[in-house]
Amino acid sequence: MDTEAVRSFVRAAELGQLRHAADELGVTQQAVSKRIAALERELGVRLFTRTARGVEPTLDGQAFLPHARAIVTGVDRAVAAIRPGSRALRIDVLGLRSAQAVVLHEYWRSHPETDLDVVTLKVDDPRLAVGAVQAGDVDASFRSVTEPAALPRDVRMIHAFDSPLELLVGPRHPLASARTLTPSRLRRHRIWVPGIAPRSEWADFYDQLATDFGLRVDAAGPNFGNEVLLDVLADSADVATLVGSRDRYIWPTHHDLRRIPIVNPTLAYPLSLLLRRADPHPGLRSVIHHFAGLTPPPEPVWRPTWAPTPGPTDPHTEPTHR
């Protein structure tokens, strides 16, 4: 069924004249008349009778009118749900316990009027996230393309904020009593990070981290999730993992796990935002401004070579890279 024909019928019925309906819809009176005639042929009934003052719905037209209004309203809502600027700002995060989701929640708490839709694409390859941004499935994605030159022309990558790493260990680990740690003190200790997916940005991140500091980072064995990882750490005297300082982890009190900041240099996981180059969602400006106000990690800072340069960013200006 032609929804514009239904819309023409509704406005003609409400205004009582085809000319007035045409003026409101921005088309000719003849176009409205043709639309309604086609709709009558499709339904097999007459919807209007002509009067000296214009048109009036027939009995069938009166019966059809409330349903036609519902059709028009439904179409308008459907269009609004996917049109940037009129629908919720839709941002992809790696997980709902990640620093990305935590910071977005902080933003929403201070801006509760924001219509925000936080989603998880559940893809490891950042190129798939780029495709989702291009297609308009999401307005922005917290993913990093580790070869920025390979980004398509219509997608940008900007620095959002840094997530300083912490060592997470159980009470029997040799480093458990440390207040802070330097990267050199992590050498010779096993750092287990299950779930490092091939072709993912975090695979590239940990490769560079291990190479630059001589660390032993592995993802051996299946990934049974954070709960199992935390159980292993609690019982182990030699296994540690790395977590972001803003990542949300919850464990039983008896686990007695310790989160130890890494300094001199701070190991920063750079969180980037992918967004469309043309016509970004207007709600992004305020969110990105919030990121810029976050406390930066303590200097000196180590970042991978592909990280966008931190600094003032705006969805309508071009970023720079290291």
Side-chain angles (χ1 to χ4, degrees), residues 27 119 135 170 211 216 280 306:
V27 297
V119 302
T211 299
R216 179 187 169 196
W306 43 262

Side-chain angles (χ1 to χ4, degrees), residues 16-40:
Q17 290 194 10
L18 299 184
R19 179 170 57 83
H20 291 169
D23 290 343
E24 185 174 293
L25 296 172
V27 297
T28 65
Q29 181 175 334
Q30 183 181 23
V32 169
S33 181
K34 286 183 176 180
R35 288 176 181 177
I36 293 173
L39 183 61
E40 289 176 327

Side-chain angles (χ1 to χ4, degrees), residues 39-269:
L39 183 61
E40 289 176 327
R41 287 194 297 272
E42 183 174 357
L43 296 174
V45 297
R46 288 185 62 200
L47 296 173
F48 286 115
T49 58
R50 293 189 175 274
T51 69
R53 291 178 296 179
V55 292
E56 289 183 356
T58 63
L59 290 177
D60 287 324
Q62 294 174 35
F64 182 59
L65 182 58
H67 304 289
R69 286 195 182 107
I71 291 171
V72 172
T73 300
V75 169
D76 289 344
R77 287 177 177 172
V79 171
I82 60 171
R83 179 181 293 136
S86 61
R87 61 163 169 77
L89 172 62
R90 189 178 301 146
I91 300 180
D92 161 54
V93 299
L94 285 174
L96 296 180
R97 293 185 178 181
S98 68
Q100 308 150 8
V102 170
V103 171
L104 280 177
H105 182 235
E106 292 171 354
Y107 169 80
W108 181 81
R109 288 183 64 186
S110 61
H111 301 79
E113 73 285 356
T114 303
D115 195 4
L116 182 64
D117 187 9
V118 179
V119 302
T120 302
L121 290 177
K122 298 188 182 301
V123 296
D124 296 326
D125 190 335
R127 293 176 301 179
L128 299 177
V130 169
V133 171
Q134 285 181 298
D137 295 334
V138 294
D139 297 300
S141 175
F142 270 109
R143 309 293 172 124
S144 295
V145 175
T146 57
E147 296 181 11
L151 274 172
R153 295 176 60 86
D154 56 344
V155 175
R156 297 174 50 201
M157 183 173 77
I158 65 174
H159 177 264
F161 60 92
D162 288 317
S163 179
L165 296 188
E166 298 174 334
L167 192 75
L168 182 62
V169 297
R172 298 194 295 126
H173 194 278
L175 300 176
S177 61
R179 295 176 64 88
T180 61
L181 292 166
T182 59
S184 61
R185 292 190 63 188
L186 305 183
R187 294 175 186 147
R188 298 183 300 279
H189 293 282
R190 183 192 180 196
I191 300 174
W192 186 41
V193 186
I196 299 180
R199 305 179 69 91
S200 66
E201 66 184 77
W202 51 96
D204 286 344
F205 174 86
Y206 285 115
D207 281 347
Q208 281 197 34
L209 179 68
T211 299
D212 287 1
F213 294 99
L215 304 184
R216 179 187 169 196
V217 180
D218 74 71
N223 179 17
F224 287 104
N226 289 337
E227 288 75 14
V228 171
L229 171 62
L230 298 176
D231 291 343
V232 170
L233 294 175
D235 293 336
S236 176
D238 60 2
V239 178
T241 196
L242 292 169
V243 297
S245 62
R246 290 187 175 92
D247 293 344
R248 183 181 290 119
Y249 287 90
I250 301 174
W251 55 79
T253 304
H254 65 268
H255 276 13
D256 194 22
L257 301 184
R258 291 93 188 274
R259 301 178 66 144
I260 308 171
I262 302 170
V263 297
N264 294 321
T266 300
L267 305 182
Y269 192 107

Side-chain angles (χ1 to χ4, degrees), residues 301-322:
V301 177
W302 175 90
R303 298 180 183 88
T305 56
W306 43 262
T309 302
T313 54
D314 186 282
H316 295 88
T317 60
E318 291 299 317
T320 56
H321 294 276
R322 290 156 53 89

